[in-house]
Amino acid sequence: MSTTVALPDARRTLGLARINWTLMVRNRTTMLYAFLVPLLPLALLFAVGDPEPTSGTAGLGSALLMALLFPGYYNLLSMFVTRRDELVLKRLRTGEVRDVELVASMALPGLSLVLAVLVLMVPIAAAAGFDLPANPVLLLLGTLLAAVTFAALALWTAAWTRTAEAAQLTSGPVMIVALAGFATPAVPDAVARWLELLPGAAVNELVRAGWFGLERGSDEATVGFWQTWLEAAPALGVLVAWTALALWLATRSLRWEPRG
Amino acid sequence: MTRTTTRTTSRTTARPAPTPAAPDPHAPALEVRGLRRTYGSGDDAFEAVRGIDLTVPRGRIHALLGVNGAGKTSAMEVMEGLSPGSGGQVRVLGLDPVADRAEVRRRTGVLLQRSGFVGDLTVRETLRMWAATVTRARPVEESLEMLDLARVADTRMRALSGGEHRRVDLACALTGHPELVMLDEPTTGLDPESRRAVWALVRRLRTEGATVLLTTHYLEEAEALADHVSIMRAGEVVREGTLAEIVAGHPAEISFRTPADEPALPAGVTASRDGDRTVLRCADLQPALTELLVGARDTGVVLELLQARTATLESVFLELAAAPAHDLEGATR
């Protein structure tokens, strides 16, 4: 019997993801948000006089976070809620496709935009006179992990979002939590220590270590390739913890069809 | 009202251990024992399905017939593996719809009573999307042809009529060459021509060896299609059998405008008046009608507006729908 279930889940997931990609591209507003919002902070890179790591982190970190929030988090949230309202998810779930494949197929288009923004960031940063990433592998894996975190947060938000319109409001908490992590340099140390536990701060830390090789709590680019992993480890841990928390909350209350 | 399904352990404990190896190839397409489904809990609990039994052998078209709210869809959703029942057993092609989900889904096709598609996709894109999720998919062009959708293949889903939408839905249900097809009100909202086309399609599925379980509240649909009918009422199956079995024992009816000279009435009929008409009920229509007509000819009586018909599902159904629930208790056994 094991031979009869040999069909790779990848075929179903990618088949659906391709359709979701087509639909996302057809929607002009989504595409505008997807690229414009992350690219705006990158313009700041050209506005600073001296291309130093601190200003670079601010521009690149917020660009990455915007990509994670808009094409990543918000896109999945509104896609999930709209498809649920339209009974599309209910219909698909009568077939062979499994829940995890359905979610993955809706998250993949946004994820590919996040990666596109990450890749675009390299030549743009270089053009503004900034260094190339110190550890591209860490940056890529960290971004993938962060994308999973925000996808999980999108599912959790979808669990208590009633309609697609309501998503504009219900996305607020996650947006705030993500952006609050960016305020660490502006608040007292005692507060900053707590803010570091937020996913936005983790993304910022990832850029500091992965791109500029900065040591934690220092603005000196002193860390070598291998040591950047160690520096980024707490941030990666924060992302894993948020992913676990969001998935746990989501699986407890996620609905696949509108309330009756 | 928020509806949540209560889970009880009775289902899992009552169920035999999941069959790990090949299931019995001769198992009925569908076997349901004592199926129950409850919405809500405590004082708000509502039992929509109250212990129904159902056996559908392979190659048969079986109709679940009942008025809206009889529990047809609630029962169907458990058989489809979409919702847990609160009691009883379901075997689909000899398999458990939840534990053996992957295999059951690969071999069944489901049409929901209400379902949705992405409005921005065209019909062809929708079928292509569905085909991407199916193990052994029918070619999209074949599906378009089969449901007469070629003309609207490049139309966006949101621009389709209700009937076209329903046919796309059906095409999806049939994409994976299912052995068992479960159709929840397949023709509701269709115009008469589309309805007949769907009937022809359902018959063709049977010819090709598939089994079909469908729900309907159209009597003529059950009469036109079904080999076997279960009539549901208030969560229970109150009659079950072939059409002939169900109408058997229900009287045939002869009626005519009551003439000035009463004709001699055949033996074994009960006569009654309905306005200016005489209504005769009898167990066996042909001899009674012959006797009536011969008698009328011999006495020169003219029977105006003469009507004669055997018992129909409609007469049974109306009688069941009108009867108080407690009168039906014995009927299920």
Side-chain angles (χ1 to χ4, degrees):
Chain A
M1 192 157 108
S2 54
T3 52
T4 60
V5 291
L7 181 90
D9 297 343
R11 191 187 74 96
R12 292 197 289 257
T13 310
L14 293 176
L16 286 176
R18 224 190 63 199
I19 297 274
N20 286 330
W21 171 267
T22 309
L23 285 164
M24 189 180 71
V25 173
R26 258 179 214 170
N27 187 331
R28 294 268 162 79
T29 325
T30 309
M31 287 310 276
L32 197 71
Y33 269 105
F35 278 107
L36 208 61
V37 177
L39 290 179
L40 279 178
L42 292 180
L44 291 176
L45 294 178
F46 295 91
V48 297
D50 199 14
E52 41 171 8
T54 330
S55 52
T57 305
L60 295 170
S62 30
L64 190 56
L65 189 63
M66 289 300 135
L68 288 164
L69 277 178
F70 285 93
Y73 167 78
Y74 193 80
N75 191 38
L76 176 58
L77 169 62
S78 77
M79 200 185 284
F80 190 98
V81 175
T82 310
R83 303 281 157 84
R84 179 178 61 193
D85 277 5
E86 291 172 338
L87 294 169
V88 175
L89 297 183
K90 182 175 185 178
R91 182 69 181 101
L92 281 166
R93 288 180 86 235
T94 65
E96 291 181 51
V97 68
R98 292 187 291 130
D99 291 349
V100 60
E101 296 161 9
L102 257 182
V103 169
S105 78
M106 289 189 282
L108 278 174
L111 174 70
S112 48
L113 288 185
V114 172
L115 293 180
V117 168
L118 179 68
V119 169
L120 274 175
M121 277 160 54
V122 178
I124 292 176
F130 288 89
D131 292 341
L132 291 176
N135 187 345
V137 185
L138 168 62
L139 212 48
L140 181 67
L141 291 180
T143 303
L144 286 174
L145 174 60
V148 172
T149 307
F150 280 93
L153 288 168
L155 288 184
W156 168 67
T157 316
W160 48 276
T161 303
R162 278 172 169 264
T163 63
E165 289 77 45
Q168 292 171 1
L169 287 177
T170 59
S171 58
V174 168
M175 297 271 181
I176 289 166
V177 160
L179 294 171
F182 253 63
T184 38
V187 295
D189 279 358
V191 182
R193 211 163 298 137
W194 288 101
L195 291 185
E196 274 171 21
L197 297 177
L198 298 179
V203 170
N204 203 35
E205 197 55 45
L206 186 69
V207 172
R208 279 171 52 88
W211 198 300
F212 295 104
L214 292 181
E215 208 172 315
R216 279 163 54 73
S218 144
D219 288 342
E220 297 298 315
T222 52
V223 182
F225 179 85
W226 294 108
Q227 220 183 328
T228 53
W229 290 101
L230 213 59
E231 292 301 319
L236 298 180
V238 165
L239 289 174
V240 169
W242 276 95
T243 308
L245 178 69
L247 285 181
W248 179 69
L249 289 171
T251 48
R252 284 162 55 96
S253 54
L254 194 63
R255 306 178 64 95
W256 294 89
E257 50 187 289
R259 285 162 199 271
Chain B
M1 184 177 77
T2 307
R3 285 184 157 188
T4 45
T5 309
T6 51
R7 291 163 194 255
T8 67
T9 50
S10 61
R11 181 157 190 275
T12 36
T13 49
R15 193 170 65 206
T19 41
D24 177 10
H26 304 296
L30 190 67
E31 197 157 25
V32 173
R33 289 285 161 268
L35 176 66
R36 294 181 173 274
R37 184 170 177 197
T38 307
Y39 293 101
S41 55
D43 290 343
D44 292 336
F46 169 68
E47 194 168 39
V49 182
R50 306 174 176 211
I52 65 168
D53 295 338
L54 193 65
T55 303
V56 184
R58 301 201 184 209
R60 184 179 275 182
I61 300 177
H62 192 114
L64 275 181
L65 181 66
V67 295
N68 290 328
K72 308 186 295 289
T73 299
S74 295
M76 198 89 148
E77 283 181 351
V78 181
M79 298 176 212
E80 291 158 351
L82 295 176
S83 303
S86 46
Q89 267 190 50
V90 176
R91 305 300 281 180
V92 175
L93 302 165
L95 299 158
D96 183 294
V98 177
D100 307 311
R101 180 186 181 279
E103 169 138 19
V104 169
R105 291 295 170 84
R106 192 168 54 76
R107 294 165 60 188
T108 53
V110 167
L111 180 81
L112 295 171
Q113 189 180 120
R114 271 183 65 231
S115 68
F117 291 99
V118 182
D120 278 337
L121 289 178
T122 67
V123 171
R124 184 178 273 116
E125 285 167 337
T126 301
L127 294 178
R128 210 176 279 156
M129 173 182 83
W130 197 268
T133 69
V134 164
T135 301
R136 198 165 58 89
R138 200 183 286 278
V140 168
E141 296 305 320
E142 190 185 316
S143 293
L144 288 170
E145 192 62 37
M146 190 167 76
L147 282 132
D148 194 21
L149 288 164
R151 201 172 41 80
V152 290
D154 296 309
T155 307
R156 297 259 167 117
M157 290 299 294
R158 70 167 88 261
L160 295 186
S161 71
E164 289 161 343
H165 199 273
R166 200 68 180 145
R167 297 211 302 273
V168 175
D169 211 346
L170 256 173
C172 291
L174 302 178
T175 292
H177 300 91
E179 291 166 50
L180 169 66
V181 189
M182 293 185 262
L183 309 173
D184 199 353
E185 299 197 1
T187 65
T188 299
L190 295 191
D191 58 61
E193 194 189 339
S194 303
R195 172 171 301 159
R196 266 155 223 284
V198 169
W199 290 358
L201 181 71
V202 170
R203 291 194 192 102
R204 199 178 112 194
L205 290 173
R206 176 180 53 190
T207 311
E208 289 167 2
T211 309
V212 181
L213 174 71
L214 61 93
T215 71
T216 182
H217 55 240
Y218 296 120
L219 294 149
E220 79 263 31
E221 185 157 294
E223 278 180 330
L225 280 181
D227 304 309
H228 242 75
V229 177
S230 297
I231 300 181
M232 279 189 79
R233 194 191 121 125
E236 293 177 331
V237 173
V238 290
R239 286 282 192 289
E240 198 273 323
T242 63
L243 278 176
E245 285 165 2
I246 287 182
V247 300
H250 279 257
E253 207 177 88
I254 304 167
S255 70
F256 45 85
R257 180 176 285 166
T258 309
D261 301 321
E262 287 273 356
L265 294 183
V269 304
T270 47
S272 61
R273 284 288 183 84
D274 181 12
D276 63 345
R277 295 178 71 81
T278 298
V279 180
L280 307 179
R281 290 195 172 80
C282 57
D284 205 349
L285 181 60
Q286 191 179 337
L289 188 60
T290 307
E291 201 178 322
L292 175 74
L293 291 177
V294 168
R297 185 188 61 192
D298 292 350
T299 53
V301 175
V302 177
L303 299 171
E304 285 180 60
L305 300 175
L306 176 67
Q307 285 181 353
R309 62 172 193 180
T310 49
T312 60
L313 204 46
E314 185 181 5
S315 54
V316 178
F317 190 75
L318 291 176
E319 189 177 299
L320 287 172
H326 57 84
D327 286 1
L328 301 170
E329 289 290 307
T332 53
R333 295 179 182 99

